[in-house]
Amino acid sequence: MTQPPQQPPNEPQPPNQPPAGPPAGPPSGGFGAPQDPPPGGFGEPTPPPADPFAKQPPPAAPPTPPAGGYGAPQGGYPTPPAPQPNGYGYPQAQQPGYGYPQGAPGQPGQPGYPGQPGMPQQGYGYPTQPMYGAPQPGPGDGGKKFSTQMQIIVAAAVAVVLIIGAAVVYTSTKDDGDKGDQASTSGSTGGGEGTGGEGKGGGLAGGSEKAPGNTGSKVAFQLPQPEVADVTSVKGSWLTDKAYVKSGVNEVVAHDRDKGTELWSVPVPGEVCGASRHMTKDYKSAILFKEGKPTKEKKYPACNQVGVVDLAVGKLLWSKSVTAATGGDRPVQFDEVTLSGTTVAAGGTSGGAAFELTTGAELWKPKVGADRCYDMGYGGGEALAVVRKCGSYDSPQLQIQALNPATGAPLSSYQMPAGVDYASIVSTKPLVVAANVGDTANDGSGISDFFSIDAATGKLIVRISADAEKYAARCGSTDVESCSAAVVGNNRLYVPTEDHDGTSEYGDTNEVVAFDLTTGKLLGGRADAGDRYSLVPLRMDGTNVIAYKRPPYDKGGQVVSIDGETFKQTLLMENPGDESVRDAETAFSADRSEVLYGEGRLFLSKQLISERRDSQADEKLYLAVGFRTD
């Protein structure tokens, strides 16, 4: 039995370039006995929608772009074919378009109102506070028509009630969540990353991120990429109140958020091979690192060390390995690590283990059982969930379990449909899972469907079909918590559409749309990226979505805040369009890099680096770049 191969280097990819297929690996022991799956089935997928994006005629005299760059024709790739029937720009026979209501079977399509919002998906390495939603309008009663005067009186009364109610909710919840060890979630665009994250503060409506007086940014700093001789992991980046913290080669380093100057460095014995996208409100987070540096005798040291770093002061609080319950003295290897409350949970093909955040005390460890079940990986943040794999290699069966973070005991269990070999946790509260059912998504995204699950009962709420040819969120197949460009908040799932023709001759565009997590309906609104830009959702900020706009060949990227209800966009940052700055920014692929935004600062960084190629002999290679508006 062999371990799955290492994932390829996470280097920038051309637009719409799919990654390699998922590696394979055999199961071995895990924690806990398999749970009997609760009743409930697939759920009925909602009918797919028609495309309204008819291609518009290009401007009369479009500028001729230089070679290379996003939004310009790329050498070495075939010219896109002319639009075909049922493609972009042509009406679909059976599908309403992006951003339009999607009817459930037997029901007319209509915009859905969200229920009480759950805890949203976070941006990678950014702390969050609980978010509370403003009351949502209900459907009309269909009764008598009010006079204009009566409508004014009623509207005024409702406004007063809402204002008083909002004040009461705010004052009653203002002091919640000040526990320093409580984990706050973050999801990367990598992804994702997040994961769910809002920025600090949350709020009754909107979010804490506000547009500065001048949205034009400047380069805060550029961190050079370390020279390495092989593919090297540098996973992990976090944003605190004072520092931008980034994993380097065998170390974790904090940099001043505005200048990039080094504040502290924490060395570790080996390569940082995993990092939690979550951290506590007092800035503690978890990492994985290898047992040592490569040697002639041991070229590939195992990723078997778990540790917690205090990101506020720069200290490795503890680190340790763990053995399987019946596996002898050999330390278990892990693929990923997460954080929920005061529990650090690490998982992989050898099963899962968990530790207490502050002391490192062992909470549970991998067990080998006759059922051949094991914990592939965990989703953290506001709650803890696991993807548990059972059965044979040729006929696996996956379960999604909500766990008690202190003991690992299952609180509920949902059995995934047959034909699902891997699953990813997009959000733990509410519980949302992505999977490629029957390998029907062949674009490398790892997603054909999303599953909205009731964490209390383990019952499926709704299964959302997400055509891989239309939607552009991604999940890293074997990694449970690595989804990017899919964020959850307001009882909605926000995802980008795939790039498609815009009005310009030389550039594509896309949109961000939302699905209701109770009905599965595609809601009637969308945020347009604008010609030659491409939107990538990063995290929630209160009830808003923070998104990065991947730029065209001749401009800098942007960061926008999207109103979660109206989809109205507010520009938060626009990066310089100078060629050297553009080159540095676009060296980071938004869906494969770690992207953080908070308090007027944007950071893009790599997760994997490799040996400099001959063609890069004279290039400036960066580990991370930062921008700021103030």
Side-chain angles (χ1 to χ4, degrees), residues 31 180-185 276-280 284-287 306-308 318 336-347 352-365 375 378-386 403-409 428 481:
F31 172 78
D181 286 338
Q182 178 62 40
S184 51
T185 43
S276 173
R277 58 175 57 190
H278 313 292
M279 63 180 170
T280 63
K284 295 181 180 71
S285 194
I287 61 172
V306 184
V308 165
W318 57 264
E336 55 186 321
V337 66
T338 194
L339 179 66
S340 180
T342 58
T343 297
V344 174
F355 310 86
E356 203 280 327
L357 173 73
T358 55
T359 66
E362 195 174 286
L363 300 178
W364 68 82
K365 64 193 305 182
D375 291 357
Y378 303 91
E382 298 294 337
L384 185 65
V386 65
L403 301 180
N404 179 332
T407 65
T428 58
E481 201 179 35

Side-chain angles (χ1 to χ4, degrees), residues 126-166:
Y126 200 70
T128 71
Q129 301 279 349
M131 175 272 293
Y132 298 86
Q136 302 297 322
D141 62 2
K144 298 177 181 178
K145 295 182 179 179
F146 285 175
S147 67
T148 302
Q149 182 178 9
M150 182 60 69
Q151 291 180 35
I152 294 173
I153 294 172
V154 171
V158 170
V160 170
V161 171
L162 288 177
I163 291 170
I164 295 173

Side-chain angles (χ1 to χ4, degrees), residues 91-447:
Q92 303 280 330
Q94 299 178 346
Q95 306 188 20
Y98 296 131
Y100 284 86
Q102 184 177 17
Q107 295 179 348
Q110 60 181 5
Y113 292 105
Q116 290 298 327
M119 303 313 297
Q121 180 84 11
Q122 271 86 0
Y124 199 102
Y126 200 70
T128 71
Q129 301 279 349
M131 175 272 293
Y132 298 86
Q136 302 297 322
D141 62 2
K144 298 177 181 178
K145 295 182 179 179
F146 285 175
S147 67
T148 302
Q149 182 178 9
M150 182 60 69
Q151 291 180 35
I152 294 173
I153 294 172
V154 171
V158 170
V160 170
V161 171
L162 288 177
I163 291 170
I164 295 173
V168 171
V169 173
Y170 176 76
T171 55
S172 65
T173 61
K174 183 178 179 183
D175 294 332
D176 289 353
D178 286 337
K179 302 169 186 175
D181 286 338
Q182 178 62 40
S184 51
T185 43
S186 22
S188 161
T189 75
E193 50 144 48
T195 246
E198 57 182 315
K200 290 192 282 187
L204 289 171
S208 62
E209 303 290 358
K210 305 301 180 185
N214 179 9
T215 56
S217 73
K218 58 185 177 182
V219 176
F221 57 82
Q222 298 169 328
L223 302 180
Q225 177 176 306
E227 297 294 337
V228 294
D230 205 344
V231 175
T232 303
S233 169
V234 286
K235 293 180 180 178
S237 58
W238 303 268
L239 186 57
T240 75
D241 58 341
K242 295 181 176 63
Y244 169 68
V245 186
K246 175 63 188 162
S247 295
V249 178
N250 308 323
E251 63 180 351
V252 177
V253 185
H255 303 270
D256 182 279
R257 299 192 306 179
D258 297 327
K259 303 173 185 177
T261 51
E262 185 174 316
L263 301 179
W264 51 256
S265 175
V266 174
V268 290
E271 185 178 312
V272 179
C273 45
S276 173
R277 58 175 57 190
H278 313 292
M279 63 180 170
T280 63
K281 294 185 177 76
D282 61 348
Y283 308 121
K284 295 181 180 71
S285 194
I287 61 172
L288 298 176
F289 54 92
K290 294 187 177 181
E291 58 190 352
K293 298 178 175 65
T295 63
K296 282 186 178 180
E297 295 75 24
K298 200 167 191 177
K299 189 175 181 181
Y300 299 104
C303 182
N304 57 25
Q305 303 295 307
V306 184
V308 165
V309 179
D310 187 328
L311 304 172
V313 299
K315 182 180 180 182
L316 183 65
L317 299 182
W318 57 264
S319 65
K320 60 174 55 181
S321 61
V322 63
T323 58
T326 57
D329 296 332
R330 187 175 181 179
V332 173
Q333 295 194 54
F334 296 112
D335 298 325
E336 55 186 321
V337 66
T338 194
L339 179 66
S340 180
T342 58
T343 297
V344 174
T349 55
S350 297
F355 310 86
E356 203 280 327
L357 173 73
T358 55
T359 66
E362 195 174 286
L363 300 178
W364 68 82
K365 64 193 305 182
K367 290 197 295 188
V368 179
D371 51 30
R372 296 200 286 183
C373 294
Y374 67 100
D375 291 357
M376 294 180 66
Y378 303 91
E382 298 294 337
L384 185 65
V386 65
V387 175
R388 188 164 173 79
K389 196 168 190 176
C390 300
S392 68
Y393 173 73
D394 295 328
S395 182
Q397 179 60 62
L398 267 60
Q399 297 175 16
I400 309 300
Q401 295 179 339
L403 301 180
N404 179 332
T407 65
L411 303 175
S412 67
S413 184
Y414 170 72
Q415 185 164 303
M416 295 293 286
V420 176
D421 295 332
Y422 301 96
S424 298
I425 296 173
V426 180
S427 168
T428 58
K429 192 173 181 180
L431 183 54
V432 179
V433 173
N436 185 6
V437 182
D439 293 326
T440 52
N442 55 11
D443 64 340
S445 67
I447 305 172

Side-chain angles (χ1 to χ4, degrees), residues 515-531:
F515 291 92
D516 187 288
L517 289 175
T518 301
T519 66
K521 289 182 180 180
L522 182 64
L523 299 178
R526 71 189 190 203
D528 295 299
D531 208 24

